[in-house]
Each structure stands twice: as C-alpha cells, then as structure tokens.
Amino acid sequence: MKPNKLWTLGLSICFGVFALQTYAQEVLTLEEAVEIALENNYDIRLAKNNSKVDSLGVSPGFAGMLPRVFAQASTNNSTQNISQTRSDGNVIELDNAKNNNLSYGVGLDWTIFDGLGMFARYDQLKELEKLGKAELQATVLNRVSDVMVTYYDLVNQQQQLMALDSTLVISEQRVELADNRFSIGKSSKLEVLNAQVDLNTDKTLQIRQREQYKNTKIRLNEILGRDTHIDFKVKDEVLIATDLQLAELEHLATTQNPELQAQLINKRISELELKQIKGNRFPRISANTGYNFSDSESSLGFTTKNNAKGWNYGLSASIDIFNGSNQNRNKKIAKLQIENSDIQIKQQTETIKSQLHTAYQTYLTNLSLIDLETSNEDIAKENLEITLAKYKIGTIPTIEFRTAQLNYINASMRLSNAIYQAKLSEITLKQLAGNLSLR
C-alpha cells in the first residue's frame, strides 16, 4: 500500500524575481476550521438539539408503561326554591334551599396490559434515538465535508493567486525591457504596446482571482458560523491519501454510512409499528384506585349533611370486536412499509456502491494527473527560464516569450487543480464510507 503523500504548494522561479506579498492575517488550519464548525455551524447545532430531543423521548412514561397518578377536586353548589310532596301527603316548601357538594382525593390509573404494545413503543423510542444519532452523524459528515472542500478550494485559489502574481512580475519586467529597447531604438513602439496589453490582461486575471478568493473566504466563514468579515490565510499543504482501497471502502460504507444506517433503523421502526398493531387484537386491561373525601350539605331532605372518605379500586378490560376492519388495513399497511424499507435499503446500498466506484475511478485518475502535471510544470519552468534568458538578449520574438510564460503559468495552475481534485475525490470516498478523517 502506498503511504499518504504531502503536497506542499508553492512556486519558485530560478530567475528570482517573484515574491508573494504576505499580509498579517490569521493562519487558519483545517483542524481549527473543523473544530469551529462543529461548535458553531447552525445545521450541526440544530441536529444536536434534535438528537437530544430524541434521547429525552426514550422513557417508559412516553411508552405508556408507567401509571398515572393524579389529584382531583370538585365542588358543586346550588340555591333552589324547592317544593316536596311526601308519601304521607305532606307538602314541604323551602325558598333559597342550599345544596353543597365537595369531593377531593388522589387516584391512580395504570394500563397493565395492552397486547405488549407498550414494550414495542419503548423499543421504537430507542430506535428513534438511534435514528436521531444517525441523522446527526450525517449532518456532521456533510458539514465537515463542506468545510474541507471549501478549505482546499482556498488552498487551490491561493496557489493560483501566487501563479498570477508570479506572471505579473514577469510581465512587468517585459514591459520594462520593451520600453528600454524602444528608448535606445532596438525595438518598435508596437512591442511596448503588446507588452502593456499582456500586462493589463494579467492584472485583470489577478483581480478576478482575488475577488473569487475573497468570496470563498466569506463562504467558509459562513459554514463555520462566524463573522463573515474575519480575514485569514490557509496553509499551502495538502496531504493526499494514496492508499485507499475500494474493497475496504465498500465494507466501511455498509457498516458506517449514516444514510444507510438510517434506512436500516427505519425498517426496524416499521417492524415495531407492526408489532403494536398486532397487539391491538388483545384485550386492554387497566387498573385504577384512589382515596377520596366527600362532604355534602342540603337544606332540605332526610339527610342534611353527609361526610365520607375511603378507598376505591377496580379493574377494567376492553377489546375491539369490530372497528370497521381498520385492524386488518393497518396490518397490511405496516407490512407494505416494511417491504418499502427493504427496497430502500437495497437501493441505498447500490447507490452508495455506484458512487464509490465512480469516485474511486476519479480518485485514481487524479492521482495519475498529479504525476503528469508535476512533470509538465518542471518542463514548462525550465522552458520559461531558457526563454526569458534569450528574450533579455533579444534573440527570440515577444510572442515566443509570451507563449512560454503562459505555458508555465497554465502548467502550475493545472498541477494545483489536479492536487485539489484528487483531494476532493478522497474526501468524497471517505464521506461515503462514513469515516471522514482530516488527514
């Protein structure tokens, strides 16, 4: 297996005229960027809270396994004009007769059997907690991937800025040489104008590249969840893993990919839903008890005052004999949901494998391109040095020097882009495998 290889990005031209300006800026490492994102990124923070909600939901009480203990109190009062005719024929009348009833106490209701549905609900709550963790992991992987992709995009752009700064220095030298030749009559004004046009073209490219570079910084700050005005630089180092193996990645993906794990958990949730539905065919048995106090007063009647206290208790049972055939329909629906979960698992597995194979082929191609573009840059650099020396003594035309200059800059940019694309392929492969390491 090939070891990881560190690519240090940088330009050096032997004629020693290039120097990249260095600004007093924060140097942001990839590790620091990921740490900030894990703490501040809004999507990750929301996913963490959602995962905590799922964890808090894992409770026997939420599953209906625990009794309900409650306190209750009620009072009823009335004032009436009453006329009573008793069995002996006597008539008793009373205006504004008062009746007062007061009762209070504590009670307990407990479903002690519901076809084992409460145990299925409790297991379902546990699976929902696992699903929340899988969704959190997927969010973290996606956002960390965004951080890494954007970070290495900045590394690539920073390298391209160095290349453009380098060619700008060369173009300025060319204008100076052309102007000196024109002043002593060794060249025409046309050579000076062509050199100036090429210099302005290089300046335009540099301005556009700096704009893109600054906008990408803003984007990275946004992903990190911090002030978008914060300025920083990134390290010109890219460590590429050259030892990734497709078979190992496939194995990791089947056991660690959070999206696939979420599908497996959803199937388990559907199975527990079916278990609850089957439990509805059994009777539901509940127990209740309580201790109550009551106090009543009546202005008229055989009993004018009554006080009572004591226990009450009992059992109740119920079972659906017919509920519009909903039981059978719910059972069929639950089975179809389980079948759909199986289909989705197979589909997700094949999709991941397809993405892995495609990304792995791109990964191998990009590694080969790095070797090729490294050789091209060395050749273009040597060619530029020879061409520059000949141009200074006036033995080659301007267009030949410009071609050599552009060839070197383009070769440098292609090498930088090849390294960036190889790193993107590596990030994609590790993300699909559910094992996105920083190195």
Side-chain angles (χ1 to χ4, degrees):
M1 295 174 61
K2 298 179 181 178
N4 293 0
K5 191 166 184 179
L6 177 65
W7 298 91
T8 302
L9 301 179
L11 291 173
S12 60
I13 300 178
C14 290
F15 41 81
V17 296
F18 166 68
L20 179 67
Q21 292 183 348
T22 302
Y23 301 92
Q25 297 172 334
E26 168 197 359
V27 177
L28 181 68
T29 66
L30 178 61
E31 291 79 3
E32 291 170 343
V34 170
E35 184 178 352
I36 294 171
L38 291 175
E39 183 69 24
N40 295 343
N41 180 268
Y42 295 110
D43 290 337
I44 293 177
R45 289 166 62 185
L46 289 172
K48 285 181 179 178
N49 285 340
N50 290 335
S51 181
K52 290 178 181 178
V53 170
D54 293 330
S55 297
L56 290 172
V58 181
S59 165
F62 272 11
M65 301 172 68
L66 300 180
R68 171 177 172 261
V69 180
F70 56 91
Q72 60 181 2
S74 65
T75 179
N76 292 295
N77 304 285
S78 66
T79 301
Q80 300 174 323
N81 296 327
I82 298 177
S83 176
Q84 294 181 349
T85 302
R86 299 189 175 183
S87 59
D88 59 3
N90 291 329
V91 176
I92 300 176
E93 295 181 346
L94 179 63
D95 292 338
N96 297 321
K98 294 182 179 181
N99 291 284
N100 302 318
N101 293 284
L102 173 65
S103 65
Y104 55 93
V106 293
L108 179 147
D109 287 333
W110 193 358
T111 300
I112 57 179
F113 182 76
D114 63 350
L116 303 180
M118 62 181 70
F119 297 100
R121 283 192 295 274
Y122 188 60
D123 290 339
Q124 193 176 54
L125 291 172
K126 292 179 180 178
E127 294 301 319
L128 287 172
E129 180 185 23
K130 294 178 183 178
L131 181 60
K133 291 180 179 179
E135 292 172 347
L136 172 59
Q137 183 185 5
T139 301
V140 170
L141 277 176
N142 290 334
R143 297 293 80 79
V144 171
S145 174
D146 290 342
V147 171
M148 296 178 71
V149 168
T150 308
Y151 186 92
Y152 286 116
D153 187 15
L154 281 173
V155 174
N156 183 38
Q157 291 185 40
Q158 195 164 277
Q159 170 69 3
Q160 292 186 7
L161 271 175
M162 293 171 66
L164 290 172
D165 287 346
S166 175
T167 194
L168 196 62
V169 172
I170 298 172
S171 295
E172 288 172 348
Q173 281 194 340
R174 178 185 160 199
V175 170
E176 184 179 354
L177 288 171
D179 189 59
N180 290 338
R181 288 180 182 179
F182 174 71
S183 64
I184 61 176
K186 286 188 175 182
S187 67
S188 66
K189 183 67 174 179
L190 181 61
E191 182 177 343
V192 177
L193 295 176
N194 285 334
Q196 188 63 54
V197 168
D198 289 338
L199 174 61
N200 291 339
T201 300
D202 294 339
K203 287 182 177 180
T204 299
L205 292 174
Q206 183 196 51
I207 291 172
R208 291 296 185 189
Q209 185 60 47
R210 288 196 181 280
E211 177 191 15
Q212 184 180 354
Y213 182 60
K214 291 179 180 179
N215 288 340
T216 306
K217 281 186 179 182
I218 293 173
R219 171 59 182 156
L220 182 56
N221 279 329
E222 179 187 3
I223 297 173
L224 299 184
R226 66 178 189 174
D227 188 353
T228 56
H229 293 92
I230 295 177
D231 199 9
F232 59 92
K233 294 193 304 180
V234 294
K235 297 181 67 175
D236 283 336
E237 292 181 352
V238 181
L239 183 65
I240 299 177
T242 58
D243 58 348
L244 299 182
Q245 300 297 323
L246 183 58
E248 182 181 354
L249 292 169
E250 284 189 3
H251 173 71
L252 289 174
T254 56
T255 57
Q256 295 184 172
N257 183 276
E259 294 179 359
L260 181 57
Q261 294 305 308
Q263 294 293 352
L264 293 169
I265 294 170
N266 279 325
K267 179 186 176 181
R268 177 60 178 159
I269 291 173
S270 297
E271 291 171 344
L272 291 169
E273 185 68 27
L274 176 60
K275 188 174 180 180
Q276 293 179 59
I277 292 172
K278 289 180 177 179
N280 292 333
R281 291 191 178 278
F282 294 90
R284 183 184 184 92
I285 302 174
S286 299
N288 61 81
T289 185
Y291 194 88
N292 294 308
F293 299 83
S294 65
D295 186 7
S296 63
E297 295 182 357
S298 177
S299 299
L300 187 65
F302 291 103
T303 303
T304 59
K305 189 172 183 179
N306 183 64
N307 294 311
K309 60 182 178 179
W311 290 97
N312 64 76
Y313 47 89
L315 291 173
S316 63
S318 65
I319 186 171
D320 287 339
I321 298 175
F322 179 75
N323 65 349
S325 297
N326 290 333
Q327 174 70 20
N328 291 332
R329 277 191 289 268
N330 289 335
K331 185 177 178 180
K332 290 178 181 179
I333 291 172
K335 288 183 176 180
L336 287 172
Q337 290 175 335
I338 294 174
E339 183 179 345
N340 282 343
S341 295
D342 281 328
I343 295 173
Q344 290 171 342
I345 290 170
K346 293 178 181 178
Q347 181 186 35
Q348 188 70 36
T349 301
E350 292 304 317
T351 298
I352 291 174
K353 287 183 178 180
S354 175
Q355 292 174 341
L356 273 173
H357 285 217
T358 302
Y360 192 75
Q361 185 57 51
T362 303
Y363 165 75
L364 294 178
T365 300
N366 288 328
L367 290 181
S368 299
L369 286 176
I370 289 177
D371 294 334
L372 177 60
E373 294 300 344
T374 300
S375 176
N376 284 341
E377 187 192 40
D378 291 339
I379 294 172
K381 175 183 175 182
E382 183 179 1
N383 181 59
L384 178 58
E385 291 171 350
I386 295 172
T387 304
L388 179 60
K390 290 184 177 181
Y391 178 74
K392 287 181 177 181
I393 61 176
T395 59
I396 61 171
T398 300
I399 189 171
E400 187 174 338
F401 169 72
R402 180 62 175 175
T403 299
Q405 180 188 13
L406 293 178
N407 284 342
Y408 174 70
I409 297 305
N410 289 336
S412 298
M413 288 188 170
R414 286 199 307 271
L415 174 58
S416 173
N417 191 60
I419 295 173
Y420 172 59
Q421 292 299 326
K423 190 62 181 180
L424 292 192
S425 301
E426 177 195 333
I427 292 171
T428 300
L429 288 170
K430 290 182 177 180
Q431 184 179 2
L432 288 170
N435 185 26
L436 188 56
S437 59
L438 299 184
R439 290 293 185 180

